[in-house]
Amino acid sequence: MTSPPHERAAEAASVLLSRANLPAIDIALVMGSGWSPAADAIGETVADLAVTELPHFAPPAVAGHAGRARVVRTASGRHALILLGRTHLYEGRGVEPVVHGVRTALAAGAGVIVLTNAAGGLRPETQRVGEPALISDHINLTGANPVTGPTFIDLTEVYSARLRELAREADPSLAEGVYVALPGPTYETPAEIQMLRTLGGDMVGMSTVLEAIAAREGGAEVLGISLVTNPGAGLVGEPLNHEEVLAVGRATAARMGALLAKLVDKL
Ligand code: 8IG
């Protein structure tokens, strides 16, 4: 790393805004596995670039993570940055690349960050595959943190109650739950899934929490939405695979797109 992380984000934000010919953006959305097809519904494209055209972005390594930064104009004339794809901790580059996209969005002026992901469901009794769920809180078991030094940031309300309320107004059927993040890249063992249920988790995945912490460090409000694409290992007896995740994303894209389009102008 050559310069401090927040300086690197400011550099990326400056290139992004000049490419979009805007003084600032209003909101940013990070599209996780399976969420990319939903992006087209959010607004009219103002600029569309490969993230690697922006300073200090790493190319995403996961199928279904397109690695693009798109700026769109929403129906009400707000400007949203849509990051199609993200960097994960399991790629082995450390924490800073994982949160660089969120920090870039903050530096570009975003006051609201929407984090989406695909997740395993820990409560098949009440969850259905293909259903979105709002993240009410998280348990960070990644062993990592984007904040360094004696910076004791309050995490009492990482996922804004105000934004969750607005999301439920847009879609009253939205469930809510606690998202547990593990480093991955392996899925869990059945014993680990039982442990996470005991700990109070409802969804499990390998992303989002570090980005949410970075967004709170920067003072933005956060909305988190998980698309439950599989029951956790051992809960139904089927092995897990990534292709299934993408298929659920394709099958639910229209619903997720409509939800996000409705949301971006309310948040
Ligand atoms: I999609 O079952 C998706 N991502 N850790 N466990 C973990 N990550 C996931 C899972 C899962 N499903």
Side-chain angles (χ1 to χ4, degrees):
M1 208 182 305
T2 49
S3 51
H6 290 92
E7 222 166 274
R8 292 153 63 84
E11 284 168 31
S14 150
V15 174
L16 176 79
L17 292 173
S18 78
R19 289 286 299 269
N21 197 23
L22 289 171
I25 54 164
D26 302 296
I27 178 169
L29 301 95
V30 179
M31 308 300 270
S33 296
W35 282 83
S36 288
D40 296 343
I42 297 167
E44 218 170 282
T45 301
V46 172
D48 184 38
L49 37 156
V51 289
T52 47
E53 294 176 68
L54 297 172
H56 316 300
F57 272 82
V62 189
H65 286 243
R68 299 203 71 84
R70 189 188 292 175
V71 177
V72 305
R73 206 179 125 84
T74 68
S76 76
R78 301 172 87 196
H79 288 100
L81 167 64
I82 306 175
L83 291 168
L84 296 144
R86 52 158 57 95
T87 297
H88 292 83
L89 199 59
Y90 57 71
E91 290 169 49
R93 300 175 172 114
V95 181
E96 201 252 332
V98 172
V99 297
H100 181 61
V102 164
R103 284 180 173 155
T104 297
L106 298 170
V112 170
I113 307 283
V114 180
L115 301 172
T116 69
N117 62 44
L122 296 170
R123 312 280 166 194
E125 323 81 271
T126 52
Q127 288 166 335
R128 289 215 324 271
V129 161
E131 288 288 317
L134 298 174
I135 301 175
S136 57
D137 202 351
H138 76 218
I139 300 176
N140 177 11
L141 297 183
T142 66
N145 199 302
V147 182
T148 52
T151 315
F152 306 112
I153 295 167
D154 178 71
L155 297 183
T156 305
E157 191 182 318
V158 178
Y159 303 91
S160 160
R162 184 184 81 85
L163 298 185
R164 278 182 279 141
E165 187 55 43
L166 290 172
R168 273 191 301 267
E169 278 171 26
D171 181 349
S173 76
L174 281 170
E176 201 172 87
V178 173
Y179 178 87
V180 186
L182 294 172
T186 53
Y187 292 124
E188 295 68 38
T189 64
E192 287 165 346
I193 289 293
Q194 291 306 322
M195 173 188 78
L196 301 178
R197 281 164 59 89
T198 303
L199 290 179
D202 299 301
M203 293 89 77
V204 58
M206 309 174 194
S207 68
T208 305
V209 303
L210 302 177
E211 292 153 73
I213 292 169
R216 295 302 299 140
E217 178 192 28
E221 282 185 291
V222 177
L223 181 71
I225 316 176
S226 288
L227 177 63
V228 176
T229 57
N230 60 276
L235 293 177
V236 298
E238 299 278 309
L240 314 185
N241 75 82
H242 185 63
E243 193 36 55
E244 208 178 285
V245 172
L246 302 184
V248 172
R250 285 189 293 271
T252 56
R255 180 176 174 201
M256 300 311 135
L259 172 63
L260 293 179
K262 211 164 156 185
L263 273 177
V264 282
D265 281 325
K266 283 180 144 238
L267 301 183

